[in-house]
Each structure stands twice: as C-alpha cells, then as structure tokens.
Amino acid sequence: MTGSPHLSDHLSDDPSDERAASGRVRWRRFAALTVPAVAVTAGLGIALAQGALAASFAVSGQQFKVSASSLEGEGFAQYGSVDVNAREELIPVAVTAIREAKLHDLCQSVVTTLPVVGDISLNLTAGRKTPVEASNLFVDATQLAGDAVFSNIEIGRDASTLDKGPAEAQGMQDLFAQQADTVRISDLQQTAWATNAGTFKLSGLSMNISKGKKECF
C-alpha cells in the first residue's frame, strides 16, 4: 500500500544503533535501581542536618515493651522524630524526653522468633523496692498508655524551642511538641524502638531468658 510504513524504516543494519538502544535500556534500568537509594540517602542527610534523628545509633528490627507501676519525672518534653535502622530506613517515632526520672516496678521485654526454636523472650525487671533512676532519659516510642498528670504543661509548642527537658531534647522547626515542668504516669505501658539515658541506675536488676512469648503487657 502506498504510504504505509515499512519495517525497514524502523530497523537499521548499523550495529552502533543496536548498541545505542541497548545502552539506553541499561541506563534506564540503572536509574530505576539507583534513584530510590539516592532518595533515601538524601532524606537521611536532610534529617541529620536538621537534627531530626532521635536515637544516636542504628536501631534493631525489633521493638520492645516497657511497663512500670509509676513514673515520676522532672523536665518533660515530647516531640516527633525519626529513628534509622541498619538499612538506613527512617522510622517515625514519638520521643519522650525527661531530665530526671524515677520508675517503680520496671519491666522490659522483647520477643525474638528463631527458626526451629520458635519464640524466645528476654525479660528484664528492676525497681521493685528502690525505684529505677535515670537522667537525660530519651524513649523513642510508637505507643504509650497510662494515667498521666502534668504540671505547667505547654501543648503545641514549636519542637525546636523546647527548653524544659534535657538540653538535647529539641525537634525540627515548625513541628508540634509539648513540655511540662513535671510528669507522673501511673500504669505506664509503652512500645519503643530505642532508649537513651545519660545515667540509668537499675536497683534489684534481674534478667531472664525463656522459651515462648512472655511480655510485660
């Protein structure tokens, strides 16, 4: 048919054209694989520059549970932030920072599931007679529950201007935060990725590893 396209119009006997086409395809594949990694690295760099990262170490792939019959703290601050794991993945968390804290009947548990063996639980308890004491305490949590009482609380403060908690307890500018002179939480239950403390005094410490799932709550 006159004017119809011919196959020869779209093919070339020149091998350089095939190499060029192959090169374009390979470059696209390379870009598709590289762009996500670059985006993660860029996001991590921005977070580092803006002080958004919470824990000062790469967190594990497991969250742990913490409970206490009561927590009493002086210098409380709470704000949103992110942790990072060994794969450089960013994990959103709510940072609870307390300048001086006392915890009664502390329990910490983590469950690991192993091939063949199944669930293995690690349980740590302390503070049954003498309370656990911590200074510059930071908890990067995803869940927190209990009955709380605050004194002189400020809700909705810019996270970059916090000044009642530990000196390092500040988040990114324009982000929501709250702070108080003191805090008391009864029947505390929280799930967390990480805990940091300047000092952590665990009176009556006991650690136990057992088979099966045995958690603080």
Side-chain angles (χ1 to χ4, degrees), residues 90-157:
L90 301 181
I91 303 168
V93 295
V95 177
T96 297
I98 303 175
R99 194 171 62 251
E100 297 290 340
K102 292 183 179 180
L103 300 98
H104 299 262
D105 300 313
L106 175 69
C107 173
Q108 178 179 302
S109 65
V110 61
V111 178
T112 302
T113 303
L114 300 176
V116 182
V117 178
D119 291 337
I120 299 294
S121 297
L122 186 151
N123 290 76
L124 180 152
T125 59
R128 290 183 176 176
K129 294 182 179 180
T130 303
V132 170
E133 297 180 4
S135 64
N136 295 329
L137 175 66
F138 289 79
V139 180
D140 304 347
T142 56
Q143 176 269 335
L144 185 150
D147 299 319
V149 178
F150 302 92
S151 66
N152 297 324
I153 189 169
E154 300 173 354
I155 300 174
R157 182 164 177 146

Side-chain angles (χ1 to χ4, degrees), residues 20-38:
S22 175
R24 286 194 294 272
V25 172
R26 288 172 183 168
W27 171 251
R28 288 171 186 155
R29 289 176 181 171
F30 173 78
L33 293 171
T34 305
V35 168
V38 171

Side-chain angles (χ1 to χ4, degrees), residues 13 54 76 137 169:
D13 294 331
F76 167 88
L137 175 66

